[in-house]
């Protein structure tokens, strides 16, 4: 009977139906409170007449959506969002694949290259972007200085990196790519290292040259994981505004304004919470569709 | 058709000498087995012949031509991997067609060639499947078909049977040998399994510590081992080695029989054997124990076919004997074979 006691104490911890919910509980609570509630609130705000400083909260249906969609500002932002997200993500995937392929090989000083590539991901985003703000500054730009020093531009030819529409869009895309690239590279690298080495040896024995090996063996085999990386990056690019907020605040003349930043400026800084919410949730159905589509394709590729 | 030759081939990985000055040459159409424990350098040697690994010393010749600087695709060789290394995202047809496409064969000729290779291994009905829909045995055949389809001059096989279950392995071994005889392509086969090596090889190269210890027909390496390593590695249970003055005396467990079981007389060396344990294995009885008398305490094993009717019992000491010509002598220091010396 002496060993009956410890057994009784262990019993409820041993039971998966208690322990499981107990362990997962905090995570569920966290997600519900920090993501779920604000999201539902945003959905409700988008169909209400809420504004900062008013105490009423009435249901107005789709009025906010109708009015916001008609503004030129919104239409420009919608177009910019697509340009920004798609161009940035295509660049990220292409460059990430090249980088991952390079890092999958052995060479001297590989660790330092890995570290440098991972650095943008480790550094706080806003801090890194502020660095870029200085690099792209109209008066002090290091890039312009360098270009002049090597004789590519004259003293009058300095670029206004963030002041000319197409240069500004190019700049925010470039900085966003710089920021997302590490994540994509690491994911793709994980995909590459999961390919058994024998497969590469077999391809070599079978006489595949570089491009046949790359396009018919390596890339198809990392396709499922590349889709996951693509999905993450694309949704992030569609919803993120940090780079744009720090670098251009949507300017010049809204040419780099995207829906996320427009929602912020309208809802938080402009005080029109209802319209801000409408802008913010506008892309939600599209993003859900993108996510489902991607996961479907990834699953099919996995099953094959 | 071609022969493969290694001349003083070495491979250094950092501080480790994986292959240490190997000299080896195959004959035309021969089935040569590289046999050895894991880490003996056999796979590294095979990979160097394949061109997947660069020798740090020596030369490799295929068909009389030095191929050290040639990439695998220029060597006219095919390799089957232990894992089969089928391309998981391609159908069986595309797997087999892959080497042909890589070799630039005209599109129209490919299906015919693939079907020819598939027919050799009886996998025509699997052509539309993906590798993961195949059993282990079927995958192995696909891997073989993919290797054959280019009609290479040399076949390299790296433990191709080790992922099959025991029953399948026996029949696959049989098929593999028949197939090799039929196409008559020089084949180098790596394994750590002595049964596979003995059953398949025209000749066996026994490797250890990056060196070839002995090369010869299965009968030669088994009956006339060149050193104590070969004597101990081949055979199950391995050769008994007993210290006698300045030499080691080796004899096979199956030659160590109760005295009365040697019915054909001859020159017998009698050794009193104290049996401590008897294992009954159906076809054989394995007797463990120690010698008494002159070689007091030397642990030896005897293997009696069940057809040998002598009575043996654990705990008893009985007179066992070995025919004098079955005794092999080895140098105590070098482990190499020496001439017979009556102990």
């Amino acid at each position: 009977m002496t060993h009956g006691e410890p057994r009784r104490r262990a019993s409820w911890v041993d039971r998966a139906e208690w322990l499981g919910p107990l362990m997962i509980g905090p995570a569920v609570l966290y997600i519900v409170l920090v993501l779920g509630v604000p999201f539902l609130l945003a959905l409700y705000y988008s169909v209400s007449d809420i504004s900062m400083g008013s105490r009423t909260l009435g249901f107005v249906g789709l009025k906010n959506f109708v009015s916001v969609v008609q503004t030129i500002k919104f239409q420009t932002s919608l177009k910019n969002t697509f340009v920004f997200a798609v161009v940035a993500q295509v660049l990220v995937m292409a460059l990430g694949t090249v980088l991952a392929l390079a890092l999958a090989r052995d060479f001297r000083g590989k660790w330092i290259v890995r570290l440098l590539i991972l650095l943008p991901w480790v550094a706080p985003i806003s801090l890194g972007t502020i660095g870029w703000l200085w690099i792209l500054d109209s008066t002090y730009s290091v890039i312009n200085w360098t270009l002049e020093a090597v004789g590519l531009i004259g003293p009058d030819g300095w670029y206004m990196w963030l002041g000319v529409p197409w240069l500004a869009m190019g700049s925010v895309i470039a900085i966003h790519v710089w920021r997302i690239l590490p994540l994509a590279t690491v994911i793709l690298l994980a995909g590459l290292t999961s390919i058994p080495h024998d497969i590469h040896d077999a391809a070599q024995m079978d006489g595949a040259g570089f491009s046949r090996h790359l396009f018919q063996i390596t890339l198809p085999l990392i396709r499922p994981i590349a889709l996951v990386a693509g999905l993450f990056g694309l949704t992030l690019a569609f919803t993120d505004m940090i780079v744009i907020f720090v670098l251009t605040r949507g300017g010049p003349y809204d040419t780099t304004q995207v829906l996320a930043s427009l929602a912020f400026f309208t809802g938080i800084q402009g005080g029109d919470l209802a319209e801000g919410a409408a802008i913010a949730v506008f892309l939600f159905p599209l993003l859900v569709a993108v996510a489902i589509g991607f996961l479907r394709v990834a699953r099919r590729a996995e099953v094959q | 058709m071609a022969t493969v030759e290694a001349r003083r081939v070495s491979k250094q990985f950092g501080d480790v000498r994986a292959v240490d000055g190997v000299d080896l040459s195959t004959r035309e159409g021969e089935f040569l087995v590289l046999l050895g424990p894991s880490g003996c350098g056999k796979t590294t040697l095979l990979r160097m012949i394949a061109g997947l690994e660069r020798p740090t010393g020596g030369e490799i010749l295929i068909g009389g031509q030095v191929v050290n600087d040639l990439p695998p695709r220029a060597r006219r060789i095919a390799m089957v991997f232990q894992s089969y290394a089928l391309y998981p995202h391609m159908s069986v047809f595309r797997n087999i067609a892959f080497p042909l496409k890589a070799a630039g064969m005209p599109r129209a000729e490919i299906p015919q060639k693939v079907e020819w290779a598939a027919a050799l291994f009886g996998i025509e009905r699997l052509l539309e499947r993906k590798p993961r829909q195949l059993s282990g045995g079927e995958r192995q055949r696909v891997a073989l078909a993919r290797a054959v389809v280019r009609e290479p001059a040399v076949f390299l096989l790296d433990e191709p049977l080790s992922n099959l279950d025991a029953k399948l392995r026996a029949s696959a071994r049989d098929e593999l040998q028949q197939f090799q005889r039929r196409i008559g392509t020089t084949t180098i086969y790596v394994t750590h399994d002595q049964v596979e090596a003995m059953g398949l090889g025209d000749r066996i190269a026994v490797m250890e510590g990056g060196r070839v210890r002995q090369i010869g027909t299965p009968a030669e390496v088994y009956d006339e081992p060149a050193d104590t390593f070969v004597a101990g590695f081949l055979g199950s249970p391995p050769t008994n080695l007993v210290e006698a003055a300045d030499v080691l005396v080796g004899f096979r467990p199956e030659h160590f029989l109760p005295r009365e079981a040697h019915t054909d007389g001859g020159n017998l060396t009698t050794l009193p054997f104290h049996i401590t344990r008897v294992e009954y294995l159906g076809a054989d009885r394995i007797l463990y124990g120690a010698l008494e008398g002159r070689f007091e305490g030397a642990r030896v094993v005897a293997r009696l076919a069940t057809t040998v009717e002598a009575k043996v019992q654990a705990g008893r000491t009985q007179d066992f004997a070995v025919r004098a010509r079955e005794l092999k002598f080895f140098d105590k220091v070098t482990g190499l074979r020496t001439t017979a010396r009556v102990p």
Side-chain angles (χ1 to χ4, degrees):
Chain A
M1 278 297 107
T2 46
H3 45 264
E5 203 178 345
R7 195 184 277 175
R8 206 184 314 138
R9 205 184 304 149
S11 65
W12 74 268
V13 180
D14 286 337
R15 288 170 58 171
E17 65 264 39
W18 287 107
L19 195 63
L22 191 75
M23 292 283 149
I24 200 84
V28 172
L29 201 66
Y30 177 84
I31 291 173
V32 167
L33 290 181
V34 180
L35 295 174
V37 172
F39 175 69
L40 291 176
L41 218 53
L43 280 185
Y44 184 66
Y45 283 177
S46 69
V47 290
S48 75
D49 61 357
I50 190 172
S51 68
M52 263 184 207
S54 98
R55 289 168 159 240
T56 56
L57 182 64
F59 178 77
V60 296
L62 295 176
K63 180 175 152 280
N64 293 322
F65 290 95
V66 173
S67 75
V68 93
V69 162
Q70 285 167 347
T71 62
I72 295 198
K73 215 178 173 73
F74 177 86
Q75 289 160 7
T76 314
S77 302
L78 185 63
K79 193 196 83 198
N80 288 343
T81 306
F82 275 88
V83 172
F84 175 76
V86 173
V87 173
Q89 196 50 26
V90 167
L91 286 173
V92 164
M93 292 310 288
L95 295 173
T97 307
V98 173
L99 267 180
L101 284 169
L103 288 175
R105 292 176 175 253
D106 277 321
F107 56 88
R108 277 173 68 93
K110 180 168 156 176
W111 69 272
I112 188 108
V113 178
R114 273 195 183 191
L115 183 76
L116 286 175
I117 286 168
L118 272 177
L119 221 49
W121 189 252
V122 184
I125 308 153
S126 43
L127 213 60
T129 313
I130 288 171
W132 280 106
L133 190 61
W134 293 334
I135 293 172
L136 300 170
D137 189 276
S138 56
T139 318
Y140 304 109
S141 168
V142 187
I143 303 174
N144 283 336
W145 188 90
T146 312
L147 288 177
E148 192 188 325
V150 297
L152 284 175
I153 54 172
D156 306 325
W158 279 41
Y159 290 110
M160 300 269 284
W161 295 109
L162 301 173
V164 179
W166 71 271
L167 274 179
M169 185 51 113
S171 297
V172 292
I173 287 176
I175 312 311
H176 184 79
V177 168
W178 166 82
R179 184 196 146 201
I180 302 299
L181 194 55
L183 178 70
T185 305
V186 169
I187 295 177
L188 290 168
L189 191 58
L192 283 178
T193 34
S194 73
I195 301 174
H197 207 268
D198 276 359
I199 299 263
H200 294 305
D201 286 344
Q204 230 182 316
M205 293 304 300
D206 285 344
F210 174 79
S211 60
R212 185 180 299 274
H213 193 150
L214 179 66
F215 289 107
Q216 294 189 15
I217 306 289
T218 310
L219 292 186
L221 286 175
I222 61 166
R223 201 176 62 162
I225 207 160
L227 283 168
V228 172
L231 170 68
F232 271 128
L234 202 60
T235 42
L236 197 66
F238 265 120
T239 56
D240 190 66
M241 56 166 262
I242 295 183
V243 171
I244 285 170
F245 182 77
V246 174
L247 285 185
T248 64
R249 304 200 157 237
Y253 326 112
D254 287 333
T255 48
T256 60
Q257 195 75 270
V258 291
L259 290 185
S261 58
L262 184 65
F264 177 77
F265 290 126
T266 310
I268 308 297
Q269 298 203 326
D272 192 343
L273 280 178
E275 258 186 29
I279 296 169
V281 299
F282 183 82
L283 279 186
F284 179 68
L286 176 81
L287 289 178
V288 170
V290 169
I292 290 174
F294 262 107
L295 290 176
R296 275 251 176 91
V297 179
R299 202 178 126 76
R300 201 183 317 141
E302 215 169 273
V303 170
Q304 267 170 5
Chain B
M1 222 61 39
T3 57
V4 177
E5 194 180 341
R7 288 185 189 155
R8 306 218 45 74
V9 168
S10 302
K11 177 74 188 180
Q12 190 100 21
F13 290 113
D15 291 337
V16 183
R17 200 143 240 240
V19 174
D20 190 5
V22 165
D23 282 301
L24 190 77
S25 74
T26 69
R27 299 180 185 141
E28 196 72 48
E30 182 182 37
F31 199 120
L32 179 74
V33 176
L34 302 180
L35 173 69
S38 49
C40 72
K42 56 192 191 298
T43 295
T44 308
L45 179 60
L46 192 78
R47 289 173 61 85
M48 285 193 285
I49 295 168
L52 294 169
E53 217 74 71
R54 243 189 114 77
T56 41
E59 287 180 334
I60 289 169
L61 292 88
I62 296 176
Q65 184 198 359
V66 177
V67 295
N68 282 34
D69 295 321
L70 290 183
R73 63 171 175 275
R75 296 187 180 197
R76 293 184 57 229
I77 43 181
M79 184 160 167
V80 175
F81 294 83
Q82 185 172 4
S83 64
Y84 311 137
L86 300 179
Y87 308 124
H89 57 298
M90 296 184 188
S91 65
V92 169
F93 180 92
R94 288 188 56 211
N95 261 283
I96 301 175
F98 189 79
L100 299 177
K101 285 185 191 155
M105 179 180 266
R107 225 161 227 291
E109 296 170 28
I110 289 176
Q112 196 191 345
K113 195 80 191 172
V114 170
E115 270 152 37
W116 165 78
L120 272 180
F121 297 96
I123 50 169
E124 303 97 317
R125 64 197 168 77
L126 304 177
L127 287 175
E128 294 315 310
R129 301 235 194 121
K130 288 277 171 66
R132 54 170 201 90
Q133 298 167 307
L134 305 177
S135 70
E138 288 167 341
R139 282 180 205 181
Q140 189 231 5
R141 286 150 190 256
V142 175
L144 284 167
R146 187 177 68 181
V148 170
V149 74
R150 262 188 318 163
E151 299 186 57
V154 177
F155 264 131
L156 306 177
L157 306 170
D158 186 7
E159 311 225 8
L161 304 183
S162 60
N163 283 339
L164 302 178
D165 61 60
K167 210 170 186 179
L168 202 54
R169 204 179 302 163
S171 64
R173 199 162 69 211
D174 182 45
E175 277 172 27
L176 197 61
Q177 190 173 39
Q178 282 183 20
F179 160 75
Q180 198 269 343
R181 293 276 179 270
R182 199 162 66 234
I183 63 166
T185 302
T186 307
T187 301
I188 302 179
Y189 183 106
V190 160
T191 185
H192 65 269
D193 182 332
Q194 49 170 307
V195 179
E196 257 171 44
M198 301 287 286
L200 281 170
D202 292 320
R203 284 191 305 157
I204 298 174
V206 184
M207 288 187 68
E208 202 259 337
R211 292 168 174 276
V212 172
R213 292 305 193 95
Q214 186 176 6
I215 179 162
T217 64
E220 280 165 7
V221 292
Y222 189 83
D223 294 333
E224 302 298 337
D227 61 19
T228 49
F229 175 78
V230 178
F233 189 72
L234 287 171
S236 163
T239 299
N240 294 305
L241 288 170
V242 174
E243 235 174 271
D246 59 337
V247 290
L248 288 170
V249 183
F251 51 92
R252 295 260 173 217
E254 64 269 30
H255 293 143
F256 186 51
L257 301 175
R259 203 183 152 80
E260 67 270 24
H262 286 281
T263 47
D264 55 346
N267 189 2
L268 293 180
T269 303
T270 305
L271 298 160
F273 179 38
H274 179 74
I275 303 163
T276 52
R277 196 158 71 88
V278 177
E279 261 177 13
Y280 178 73
L281 298 180
D284 298 298
R285 280 175 292 175
I286 312 284
L287 316 180
Y288 298 89
L291 295 182
E292 286 186 354
R294 199 162 19 147
F295 303 112
E296 183 79 53
R299 302 207 62 82
V300 293
V301 179
R303 182 165 136 200
L304 270 60
T306 314
T307 48
V308 175
E309 287 185 0
K311 271 185 92 69
V312 288
Q313 202 181 338
R316 276 193 14 207
T317 302
Q318 288 173 252
D319 265 354
F320 272 53
V322 188
R323 258 188 252 132
R325 63 184 158 92
E326 306 294 357
L327 294 173
K328 318 289 175 196
F329 300 90
F330 302 94
D331 188 281
K332 220 173 184 177
V333 182
T334 62
L336 295 174
R337 246 333 243 290
T338 62
T339 46
R341 260 169 281 180
V342 180

